Amino acid sequence: THTAHTQPHNPTNTPPTHTPTTHTHTHTHTHTHTQLLVVERWSRATKLPPSKLMIPLSYTTILGGTLTMIGTASNLIVSALAQNHDPSLEFPFFEIAVLGLPIAIVGVVYVVLVTPTLLPNRQAEITNLPDRTRRFIITALVKRSPIVGRTVAEALLTHLNDLTVAEIHRKGVAISTTPETVIHYGDRLLFAGNVNQVKRIFKVRGLWPLDHESTAVLALPNRIVVEATVSPHAQLLLKDPLSSVQFKSKYHAAILGVCRNGEPVGGRLGDVTLKVGDVLLMVTKPSFLENATLRWTVDFCMINQVGAQPMKFNWFKLLLAPFGAFCMIMLNVFKVTDLLTLALVAAFTLLAFKCLTWAQIRTAVNMPVLITIAASFAMANALETTGVATEFADNLMSLTSWAGDWGIMYGIYLSTALLTALLSNAAAGALLVPIVFGVAKNSDIPIKPLL
């Protein structure tokens, strides 16, 4: 994801030195990371302290991993090693849900009811930080909209986080607004506020940018909002007003607002002549960021995406992804083919419909997990061929067999817990699989309960 960064205030108007475009990426390698970003944004929007949300996020993610065979890397490694030992073993998709679902339900109930009273409230440490986020003035035109005839308060425009309706321009006259001001068709609403909240404006039905270029760009799906700082080398942008620059045809982007020296630039955007260090708020294609380091370096010092989500979604593509995942799971449940084949088909289907790009596919591959899985096979074979697995299994049975089958199982559970405290879950599982097979061979316990 691309995150918006803040610039230090420049009271002397000194032109910034030309630096290479910074194109910040934080690639989501795990589902937990994706949830972390969502929870962080939700915390800021609802003013809930992150200290009350992060531990529940971690615990519920772990509990969710107990429901399916692909829930965690440990599940994948243990099932793969077990099938390597005994190819006749089968692990249906919801094999562990019989035990995992009750555990997950009890765990989630505990997290919801108990953790709010145990976790600290560190909201003050965050809210006391200075707000150094850039602010813009965005002008929106009221067209055919359900907010026509309603007051600003009734239209819920007072509930946009960190955004306010500063003025309403009606037939060339500026009107100061109150929550009781009635909105008319054709009004121009001037919003002032946080750059990170600008997308909320155009999610209100019937609100559009003033100029036709921005309206045309905004109406298309999968458009993103970016910030770009004007470079000292952008001579073509610094000579004439924006209306004469042909910005859209050159950069394939439409400007929503301009920030200068930390303050929003008001007035008609077409009349604004840019200066070095101005920050532009734009709507554009995601490819704008991919081309940033190649084509826009001369004109812009810094390009950052505002938020992680596009302005509007292509609903077909939005529904195709969960539908593909559902089909993949169902076909695997009914044993049509193996999960690897289904996952590859789903990935290439999303690629064919341009829901994914090759760059996203490459960066989504979690190499540490793949290397761990590959190394675990060699490690398990080494334990077996050297006799370490057999020796450990014999010692474990001699220590716990006095308590019967339950004692042996508890011994394996305890060994796993101790190893997990020292190693990763995946490594602990890989080490114990050959040992568990040795225990099952020397006892009457079926292999699956031990796994």
Side-chain angles (χ1 to χ4, degrees):
T1 59
H2 303 273
T3 55
H5 296 273
T6 57
Q7 297 290 330
H9 183 59
N10 185 8
T12 61
N13 293 334
T14 304
T17 56
H18 180 57
T19 57
T21 304
T22 61
H23 188 197
T24 57
H25 288 277
T26 305
H27 297 297
T28 305
H29 290 299
T30 63
H31 184 55
T32 306
H33 193 183
T34 303
Q35 291 177 320
L36 182 64
L37 297 173
V38 173
V39 169
E40 184 178 0
R41 289 196 297 271
W42 186 44
S43 171
R44 293 183 182 276
T46 59
K47 308 301 182 183
L48 290 173
S51 60
K52 295 282 189 181
L53 300 175
M54 295 305 179
I55 288 296
L57 168 65
S58 175
Y59 286 4
T60 52
T61 301
I62 294 171
L63 292 169
T66 65
L67 300 180
T68 68
M69 294 305 299
I70 64 171
T72 64
S74 306
N75 295 353
L76 291 172
I77 290 174
V78 169
S79 60
L81 287 172
Q83 290 177 324
N84 189 48
H85 276 80
D86 185 358
S88 64
L89 283 175
E90 292 185 356
F91 295 95
F93 193 81
F94 293 105
E95 172 83 18
I96 59 177
V98 176
L99 291 176
L101 183 59
I103 293 173
I105 292 174
V106 173
V108 169
V109 170
Y110 174 83
V111 167
V112 171
L113 297 181
V114 178
T115 54
T117 62
L118 299 179
L119 296 175
N121 186 342
R122 297 196 177 98
Q123 181 71 42
E125 298 179 14
I126 295 176
T127 54
N128 289 337
L129 293 176
D131 183 9
R132 302 171 65 182
T133 307
R134 279 186 290 272
R135 294 181 176 272
F136 290 81
I137 290 179
I138 309 297
T139 304
L141 180 64
V142 180
K143 294 186 177 180
R144 297 180 183 273
S145 172
I147 69 174
V148 173
R150 297 185 179 183
T151 65
V152 172
E154 291 172 345
L156 300 180
L157 298 183
T158 57
H159 290 73
L160 298 176
N161 287 339
D162 212 5
L163 286 170
T164 58
V165 182
E167 282 184 352
I168 294 179
H169 289 185
R170 182 175 301 158
K171 297 180 180 180
V173 179
I175 303 173
S176 59
T177 61
T178 66
E180 289 74 33
T181 302
V182 178
I183 299 171
H184 293 182
Y185 178 86
D187 282 353
R188 298 182 179 187
L189 308 183
L190 273 67
F191 289 87
N194 190 332
V195 60
N196 296 311
Q197 305 297 332
V198 68
K199 287 189 283 189
R200 293 176 176 268
I201 298 173
F202 300 108
K203 288 184 178 181
V204 178
R205 184 180 172 188
L207 290 186
W208 294 92
L210 268 184
D211 62 283
H212 297 294
E213 290 185 350
S214 298
T215 300
V217 172
L218 194 62
L220 298 172
N222 298 323
R223 292 305 185 262
I224 60 174
V225 178
V226 300
E227 285 184 307
T229 304
V230 179
S231 161
H233 302 274
Q235 296 301 322
L236 294 178
L237 290 177
L238 302 175
K239 295 179 180 179
D240 303 310
L242 285 173
S243 57
S244 305
V245 173
Q246 296 182 334
F247 194 91
K248 180 178 180 295
S249 60
K250 182 177 181 181
Y251 300 103
H252 310 293
I255 299 176
L256 295 177
V258 180
C259 179
R260 180 172 296 161
N261 297 327
E263 298 296 330
V265 176
R268 183 176 175 272
L269 285 176
D271 297 332
V272 176
T273 300
L274 296 178
K275 296 182 179 181
V276 175
D278 284 354
V279 181
L280 309 183
L281 190 67
M282 303 181 293
V283 180
T284 184
K285 297 179 180 179
S287 59
F288 184 93
L289 294 168
E290 298 171 6
N291 295 331
T293 56
L294 302 177
R295 300 174 60 184
W296 319 136
T297 306
V298 174
D299 295 336
F300 302 110
C301 299
M302 185 177 294
I303 302 174
N304 299 304
Q305 183 175 341
V306 178
Q309 301 298 329
M311 296 284 288
K312 294 180 181 292
F313 292 97
N314 183 314
W315 285 101
F316 172 75
K317 294 181 180 180
L318 189 65
L319 296 175
L320 181 62
F323 178 75
F326 175 78
C327 292
M328 180 184 73
I329 293 172
M330 289 297 101
L331 291 174
N332 180 254
V333 168
F334 291 104
K335 301 180 181 179
V336 175
T337 185
D338 61 278
L339 188 60
L340 175 61
T341 302
L342 293 171
L344 290 175
V345 170
F348 279 104
T349 301
L350 294 176
L351 182 65
F353 284 98
K354 298 183 179 180
C355 298
L356 292 173
T357 64
W358 277 113
Q360 290 173 321
I361 290 177
R362 287 196 302 270
T363 55
V365 176
N366 195 334
M367 289 306 298
V369 171
L370 293 181
I371 293 173
T372 301
I373 293 174
S376 64
F377 283 87
M379 192 160 43
N381 287 334
L383 290 175
E384 193 168 9
T385 55
T386 58
V388 173
T390 302
E391 187 70 22
F392 193 99
D394 292 342
N395 290 333
L396 182 64
M397 289 193 63
S398 63
L399 291 173
T400 58
S401 58
W402 61 271
D405 291 348
W406 284 104
I408 295 174
M409 294 182 69
Y410 280 125
I412 292 175
Y413 294 157
L414 181 61
S415 302
T416 305
L418 292 175
L419 274 179
T420 303
L422 302 174
L423 306 173
S424 67
N425 295 350
L431 286 172
L432 285 171
V433 165
I435 296 171
V436 165
F437 269 90
V439 171
K441 183 179 179 180
N442 297 328
S443 66
D444 297 328
I445 305 175
I447 186 62
K448 278 193 175 182
L450 298 178
L451 293 172

